[in-house]
Amino acid sequence: MKVEIDYDLFDSIKQEEDVIELNYLLNIILYKNRHSVYVTDTRVFKLEVYDSIPKTTQSVIELFFTQNVMTSEEKDCLICFDGASFDDEKKFNLVEGIRYLSQPVSIIVENSFNDSHFFKAIFRCFDDSEIINKHFENLWIQFENSGGCSNIINYIKGRSQFYNDRSKFFRCFVILDSDKLSPNDTNDKYSNVKEFLSLKKIAFHVLEKRMMENYIPDEAINANIHERYNKWKNAYLHLSELQKDYYNIPSGFIKVTSQAGKKTSKRDKKKEIKKNQLDALPEQVKNLYSDLSSSNFESLKSGLSIPNIKSEFPKFFNCEHTVYKKSLLQRTRHQRNPHELSDIVEKIMKLI
């Protein structure tokens, strides 16, 4: 994170306690190159308080000053004398700056244990700088469990109370499964969540595919699915790339609502599907899988039945010889946004 410290903040420091807090802030910023610090006003270098800063720290500040003169990069937050008067903009006073910059970045997911495998794979493959991995090693990034998509707003509201409802303190990124049944699914179940997060100025991303499991490359399916599940595996690998994007791997075609929108029990859905095959499914699902043979439909209809699939299947992302940059790009090259995974990494990089 690029942190600018304003001249007025330096100029306001008169007491010894303030000097200690300033040095503490600078230590947080510069410890193991966690952040970058920028001073853009040369008058800072002439202040008495600047002389109280350790010489090694001064050298780093002056190096960043030189870089800033050459590039004039936009800063991510500002530490200034009147920072406490701002609730939403990333402007902080000295004490607030310490609080904001010392907290880890939170990646908020529906299930922090299972979903973390997907994120770690895309960090490994798309962060060539390895900065994100460094932040993980130093516990500067953490996964947090929202408890499901329906609880995200309540979860954020709880965090807001901790910060007295001042959104500028949030250093988090929310990731959501789209849960779409097809690429043309217009049922935006997250419209209220997205509106809420936008209002709070919290970064978020809704996956283009149905869920995280749909990003697993074919190589990982081939390598990790036991031969006893060959019927399912062969039928799955015969799907088009788009069909794989919206197929529910754990539940198959069972976990969909009826065409009329009426929810039925899992047992009743199995009966409907067995009797009517694709005709029992919503129109958009039926159209997407219209070329599916009856035998492949039979193999796929109930999903992949490996034990503990919700926790075990995401672990396939850890397999480095099947999940790598090229194989993930292969699974996303046909998307509306083929750069989706690198875009996610870029969004998170802006927070660190």
Side-chain angles (χ1 to χ4, degrees), residues 138-156:
N138 287 284
L139 306 180
W140 298 335
I141 298 181
Q142 63 185 13
F143 290 105
E144 294 198 48
N145 193 349
S146 69
C149 62
S150 61
N151 192 54
I152 288 174
I153 291 179
N154 287 335
Y155 179 86
I156 297 297

Side-chain angles (χ1 to χ4, degrees), residues 172-191:
C172 58
F173 180 75
V174 178
I175 190 86
L176 302 165
D177 291 335
S178 74
D179 288 335
K180 285 187 174 183
L181 301 180
S182 73
N184 298 318
D185 191 344
T186 58
N187 181 22
D188 189 356
K189 62 182 290 187
Y190 295 115
S191 58

